[in-house]
Amino acid sequence: MSAPELDGRATWPRIRPAVRHRVERAILREMPTREDAPIRGRDPSRPPARPAPPVLPGDDPGSIAIAAERLRAGGLVVFPTETVYGLGANALDAHAVARVFAAKERPAFDPLIVHLADASAVGTYAEMEDADDPRVARLAARFWPGPLTLVLRKRDVIPGIVTAGLPTVGLRVPDHPVARALIRAAGVPVAAPSANRFGHLSPTRAAHVVAGLGSRVDLVLDGGPCRVGIESTVILLAAGRATLLRPGGLAIEAIEAEIGRLEVLVDGAPRTAELAPGRAGAHYAPRIPLVLADPRDPEAALAFVVRPGERVGFLAASAAGRAAAEAAGGPFAAVEVLDANGDVVGAAGRLFDALHSLQAADLSRIVAEPFPDVGLGRAVMDRLRRAARAAGDVREEPAFNR
Ligand code: TXA
Ligand code: MG
């Protein structure tokens, strides 16, 4: 561990003693921990515990200073955003970014989003013509910080590995005080995909990250549960285009109210793979089959019949949906209600959390209630359709349709 980091410790007067203990452990983590050390008398039949990364409270300036230093030194730092937790690396350091792909087991063709502390940095990383596009200024002024990613033609300063060789880069200013403090303290743009292993659920709590990535990352900043809970909306605004690449935490209707109609890509079309490589790869594939079925639809009745020995989970859009499902069949081994009133903003916020819980409930299958395809419902349905398709439910319509 370098001396400046240790010296730096003494200059953080506001650090709380309990936090300080954890910060010191983080600084000194190269030293053997209890898990690493040979333990006399340990039961040899028990596998050693999976080493966990240091988890520091995100609201502490000492934690931010440590994490920023880690980023600058080429480390991987997980941080909370308002959408989901991100697995961050210095976007200007190709070697650090390569470690992100390795930690996630993410295919190299899928580009990363670059996170900025504020919109004033757009011109540093995007080509002037796109950075000066009045639509960019409009959207940035209206929705940043927030769950919107703008894909613009990139400047050479962004290494090709960040953008998977594409001439464009996704830029976003996240709306979370921990994320913004970290990016500001690091003084570099932060490339960060969602902090999950490829094909797994996105994390909306620090515990999801620790369970999924463990010591593949250097540090986790805990910021509590993510408020929006679903990934950002991604739109391409390069060379005069305005194309929706991924529905997400900002409703498309809100974007269209600012800049007019967005072009929509259909899954499977040749241009879709070229413009939105993230949609070509595998997506969250539940370890248990997932089907979308409306409990009020008589044609879907079979999905709600629970056979002897079966453990079926139900993902309800609302309390009323739960009641309808319980009237249509059951009993269910586990039920998650996304929002008591079926409010889609609340539902989007709980989607990944609920899926994490169902996934841990030892189920034979999951039935999910569909949402209307408007506003954030589109993003929720996009994720659920992809999960259903990945689980082999080929009856589902194309994942994004409008
Ligand atoms: O809310 C979010 O967007 C979260 C938080 C951490 O910011 N990040 C996130 O990153 O969801 P990731 O890597 O899981 O998803 C990023 C998506 C991918 O589908 C990727 O293909 C797309 O954005 N993307 C990024 N840069 C792109 C580019 N230059 N062209 C086209 N698509 C791009
Ligand atoms: Mg992701």
Side-chain angles (χ1 to χ4, degrees):
M1 191 49 54
S2 67
E5 264 182 60
L6 287 172
D7 290 349
R9 257 185 325 164
T11 65
W12 302 324
R14 283 191 291 157
I15 197 160
R16 296 195 297 265
V19 172
R20 184 173 181 126
H21 174 69
R22 274 185 283 173
V23 170
E24 281 171 353
R25 278 200 46 161
I27 292 174
L28 300 172
R29 79 181 277 263
E30 278 76 15
M31 294 185 64
T33 61
R34 249 186 306 151
E35 289 90 346
D36 304 330
I39 300 169
R40 243 172 299 151
R42 188 175 74 81
D43 176 359
S45 66
R46 261 184 51 206
R50 184 195 235 176
V55 179
L56 300 180
D59 61 359
D60 193 280
S63 312
I64 298 289
I66 294 282
E69 181 51 39
R70 281 267 157 181
L71 280 179
R72 279 195 298 270
L76 302 188
V77 172
V78 174
F79 61 97
T81 81
E82 79 282 26
T83 59
V84 300
Y85 276 75
L87 168 53
N90 175 358
L92 306 180
D93 178 344
H95 186 259
V97 173
R99 288 187 62 208
V100 171
F101 282 88
K104 266 192 78 105
E105 297 169 42
R106 178 172 173 125
F109 62 74
D110 197 0
L112 307 183
I113 293 170
V114 173
H115 297 71
L116 309 173
D118 57 74
S120 65
V122 167
T124 312
Y125 304 112
E127 281 288 343
M128 202 198 297
E129 201 186 319
D130 291 344
D132 289 348
D133 182 335
R135 296 172 308 170
V136 170
R138 237 191 131 116
L139 292 177
R142 178 83 179 77
F143 299 119
W144 277 352
L148 172 67
T149 296
L150 299 179
V151 175
L152 310 174
R153 279 169 295 183
K154 79 175 187 78
R155 283 189 186 268
D156 289 345
V157 59
I158 299 287
I161 188 169
V162 172
T163 67
L166 291 177
T168 53
V169 61
L171 299 174
R172 170 163 120 79
V173 179
D175 186 16
H176 195 293
V178 175
R180 295 183 78 196
L182 174 67
I183 301 164
R184 213 169 264 132
V188 293
V190 177
S194 51
N196 52 285
R197 275 189 282 156
F198 183 69
H200 288 237
L201 283 169
S202 289
T204 54
R205 293 170 185 273
H208 298 156
V209 177
V210 172
L213 292 173
S215 60
R216 292 175 183 202
V217 302
D218 297 311
L219 191 65
V220 177
L221 289 176
D222 189 347
C226 300
R227 178 173 55 80
V228 175
I230 198 157
E231 302 93 331
S232 62
T233 302
V234 182
I235 65 170
L236 173 71
L237 273 186
R241 298 187 92 111
T243 308
L244 174 69
L245 301 182
R246 176 177 74 180
L250 178 64
I252 295 148
E253 292 86 341
I255 300 170
E256 291 188 328
E258 293 295 324
I259 61 162
R261 199 108 177 118
L262 294 174
E263 174 193 15
V264 167
L265 299 174
V266 176
D267 270 356
R271 259 179 352 151
T272 301
E274 176 193 318
L275 293 174
R279 293 173 31 161
H283 281 269
Y284 161 59
R287 281 177 248 136
I288 33 186
L290 182 145
V291 291
L292 274 158
D294 186 343
R296 299 165 193 84
D297 176 3
E299 285 190 23
L302 212 55
F304 297 91
V305 176
V306 175
R307 289 169 195 80
E310 240 192 342
R311 284 177 58 80
V312 179
F314 183 59
L315 181 66
S318 64
R322 174 189 196 147
E326 279 163 353
F332 302 106
V335 177
E336 289 288 329
V337 178
L338 288 179
D339 185 273
N341 302 315
D343 169 49
V344 76
V345 175
R350 283 217 59 241
L351 178 69
F352 287 124
D353 216 15
L355 285 169
H356 275 284
S357 299
L358 290 176
Q359 199 172 256
D362 188 28
L363 301 169
S364 24
R365 61 191 171 90
I366 299 171
V367 184
E369 181 182 1
F371 269 85
D373 260 315
V374 290
L376 287 198
R378 246 194 272 265
V380 172
M381 285 303 284
D382 174 78
R383 307 303 186 270
L384 287 175
R385 287 194 179 109
R386 287 178 195 283
R389 278 196 316 187
D393 187 2
V394 288
R395 290 169 310 156
E396 287 309 322
E397 311 146 51
F400 183 67
N401 210 351
R402 64 171 229 180

